[in-house]
Amino acid sequence: IYARATASSSATNTPVPGQGNFAYVTNFNSGKISEFKRNITSGVLTQIATIGAGLSSGPKGIAVDPSNKYVYAVNYSDGNLSTYSIGSKGKLVALTSVSDGASSQPQQVVVSPSGNFLWVSDYKAHQITIWQLTSGVPNSPTTFSGAGMSGPVGLAVNTAGTILYVADLDQGVVYWFNVNSSTGALTNGAGSPIASQGSFTDAPA
């Protein structure tokens, strides 16, 4: 549940929306998102364009909403959460950029299956930020720092949208939280966390 990010310009995450016609990749070093058209038979990618995603040495987690209308990306260096709309030919159009906390060092973003809210893992702030979505635009953030998280990085949500999984880099454990279906608020899951089978080795940047 954590896509590797390094100090190179190589890919850190590749969400494929809808029927897989397009793919989007965060480029950590260059501060951009690469946009690709995808052959759904062969899987071959053809680059369409690139678009800015905040400071260089920053773009990390990226996600597509369930309606396949919006893309969200977080930037580790400037602490921002950026929103883009997906054009008919796969090109992204920048909509908003909001602060997830200047020193939060956000790592990953995941959208709820309902498309009503999203979560961001804030490594340095030791918390999860919950954003409400209105017409695709993030607003009204709240934070959750319970259960003793110290280095939240990887995020994943189950298909029902009832459980959020969080990989804690510093502790080498996986937390899971119950999700309030109306607000995205989190409560501790029974028996959480559990130790991973081995150590996490990915650095936050």
Side-chain angles (χ1 to χ4, degrees), residues 37-84:
K37 179 172 66 175
R38 177 177 176 270
N39 185 307
I40 60 174
T41 301
S42 67
V44 172
L45 299 177
T46 302
Q47 187 163 354
I48 302 169
T50 62
I51 191 169
L55 293 179
S56 58
S57 299
K60 279 201 162 188
I62 188 169
V64 176
D65 85 311
S67 72
N68 304 310
K69 294 180 179 179
Y70 305 102
V71 168
Y72 304 93
V74 291
N75 187 295
Y76 170 88
S77 293
D78 59 28
N80 287 342
L81 166 65
S82 297
T83 304
Y84 307 83

Side-chain angles (χ1 to χ4, degrees), residues 56-149:
S56 58
S57 299
K60 279 201 162 188
I62 188 169
V64 176
D65 85 311
S67 72
N68 304 310
K69 294 180 179 179
Y70 305 102
V71 168
Y72 304 93
V74 291
N75 187 295
Y76 170 88
S77 293
D78 59 28
N80 287 342
L81 166 65
S82 297
T83 304
Y84 307 83
S85 62
I86 302 175
S88 60
K89 296 183 179 181
K91 286 189 176 182
L92 299 181
V93 177
L95 295 180
T96 64
S97 182
V98 292
S99 176
D100 197 61
S103 60
S104 61
Q105 295 183 348
Q107 297 286 319
Q108 297 287 295
V109 56
V110 65
V111 185
S112 68
S114 68
N116 293 330
F117 41 82
L118 60 79
W119 302 275
V120 175
S121 56
D122 298 325
Y123 177 80
K124 190 173 182 180
H126 319 299
Q127 66 187 20
I128 304 298
T129 299
I130 306 151
W131 290 87
Q132 305 301 310
L133 297 174
T134 304
S135 299
V137 176
N139 60 82
S140 304
T142 58
T143 60
F144 176 80
S145 56
M149 289 182 296

Side-chain angles (χ1 to χ4, degrees), residues 11 22 28 30 91 107 179 188 199:
F22 309 108
F28 181 83
S30 67
K91 286 189 176 182
Q107 297 286 319
V179 175
N188 297 340
S199 300

